[in-house]
Amino acid sequence: MYETNNGVVPPPGPTYRLPEVGPLPDLALYERLIDDGIAEADSRGTIVDHLTARRLAIWLAARPQQRDFAHGLVRFIETGAVHTHLKTELRKHARSGNYPDQQPHAARLLRYCNNRGTELGPIGENFAAACDQIDRADVQLAQFHDRVRQGRIHPEQAWPDTDGPRTLALVRRDPETQTVSLVLDDTTANIALFAIAAHADEREAHIREVERYGRTLPEDSYGRRNRQAIAARDTRVAARLRAVEHAYRTAIEYDTGYGSPEATKAFSSLEHAANREIELE
């Protein structure tokens, strides 16, 4: 039996209860999200991330457990801290045949805990709140996908002057890979990509203007070097914007089931504007 930081032995507690504020996943959906997290980790050849590990702990804590094991799971769920007693109990569940239904999840969580090495303390100040926020976003996304698959939502694209489906905008950032996943409904995505392409047009026009003026300045002058630096910076920005636009174009061109005249019209108008700008020069 372990003690808390203040030296008081924790009282017996029930199994973990999900917070009641906001739409968090039920256990069946947690299993689905856990499977997705495990599949992603296996595809990278790594252990599960903090979020999936917490979901594994929630799944285990929602079942009747010995008091110390339950407290260790809840402590990890709330703070991300891994107590040595938790690792001991996970090892028992992972290696014993007395818990066949819990064995795979216990083994996964144990591998995660072992990979933490000596860094077993709390993960940030708002670990539980941040994970709950992501869980709520994943609930909305999963429910949206289910409605689409069941034919209860027809994701028809629309433009700002017409009604479209309810706005869906979810963001998930992975601090380990420094990547951001953005999920938008088709209409919002079209509007966002229109703005991205328009901003890229403005950047490229500014690059041409800066380079044209820079060529009129003396060689090796501060003004010319400054214009070159500005053009180089804007070129990098424009390249990233065009990469996003190109990825979106590729996605909608291959996804014939979700194509729309509005999207084609929007990109055609952008191309026409760009061509007209070139002609005016």
Side-chain angles (χ1 to χ4, degrees):
M1 183 181 301
Y2 64 89
E3 297 181 347
T4 56
N5 292 337
N6 59 7
V8 179
V9 177
T15 57
Y16 181 70
R17 296 182 60 185
L18 299 176
E20 298 178 357
V21 180
L24 285 169
D26 55 21
L27 287 180
L29 185 51
Y30 265 116
E31 291 178 355
R32 181 169 153 189
L33 297 175
I34 287 170
D35 289 342
D36 291 342
I38 290 175
E40 182 179 354
D42 288 346
S43 67
R44 300 197 311 262
T46 62
I47 62 167
V48 296
D49 56 18
H50 296 316
L51 181 63
T52 303
R54 183 176 185 266
R55 289 169 175 172
L56 286 166
I58 289 175
W59 187 90
L60 290 168
R63 283 151 176 77
Q65 305 290 359
Q66 295 178 353
R67 183 182 63 175
D68 293 340
F69 187 28
H71 279 299
L73 289 168
V74 172
R75 182 183 182 185
F76 173 74
I77 292 167
E78 294 176 345
T79 67
V82 177
H83 196 278
T84 54
H85 191 84
L86 173 61
K87 296 174 67 174
T88 301
E89 292 298 325
L90 285 172
R91 193 173 295 110
K92 291 179 182 178
H93 280 65
R95 297 177 180 177
S96 171
N98 297 330
Y99 314 95
D101 59 328
Q102 302 179 29
Q103 192 172 24
H105 285 355
R108 284 280 181 176
L109 187 54
L110 178 61
R111 286 181 57 194
Y112 162 86
C113 293
N114 289 336
N115 191 73
R116 295 257 308 253
T118 59
E119 298 179 358
L120 302 177
I123 302 175
E125 297 180 358
N126 301 310
F127 174 68
C131 289
D132 284 343
Q133 184 177 6
I134 297 174
D135 287 346
R136 292 187 180 96
D138 284 345
V139 168
Q140 296 178 24
L141 181 59
Q143 291 173 345
F144 180 80
H145 285 170
D146 288 341
R147 290 197 297 270
V148 171
R149 281 194 295 267
Q150 295 168 6
R152 291 156 52 194
I153 288 182
H154 301 284
E156 299 176 354
Q157 294 175 331
W159 208 237
D161 56 345
T162 61
D163 291 333
R166 188 179 64 177
T167 301
L168 176 67
L170 303 175
V171 180
R172 179 175 177 180
R173 180 178 180 274
D174 187 339
E176 294 183 359
T177 61
Q178 295 292 300
T179 58
V180 176
S181 300
L182 181 64
V183 179
L184 305 173
D185 63 85
D186 286 336
T187 301
T188 305
N190 283 338
I191 297 170
L193 265 294
F194 183 92
I196 288 174
H199 187 48
D201 287 342
E202 294 177 359
R203 288 279 184 170
E204 290 166 350
H206 185 243
I207 291 169
R208 292 192 291 271
E209 179 182 349
V210 169
E211 289 178 337
R212 185 166 50 242
Y213 179 72
R215 287 192 291 269
T216 66
L217 300 176
E219 288 282 352
D220 296 329
S221 65
Y222 171 79
R224 186 161 185 168
R225 291 196 304 271
N226 186 46
R227 298 309 187 279
Q228 291 172 343
I230 293 173
R233 179 197 61 197
D234 280 5
T235 298
R236 291 191 295 270
V237 173
R240 291 180 180 271
L241 294 172
R242 290 301 185 195
V244 176
E245 180 190 7
H246 175 72
Y248 182 74
R249 279 177 175 267
T250 301
I252 62 174
E253 286 173 0
Y254 280 93
D255 192 2
T256 56
Y258 290 88
S260 81
E262 287 81 359
T264 304
K265 185 186 300 182
F267 285 118
S268 297
S269 64
L270 288 173
E271 291 176 352
H272 177 73
N275 292 337
R276 185 171 181 275
E277 183 180 358
I278 294 174
E279 292 173 359
L280 291 175
E281 291 182 356

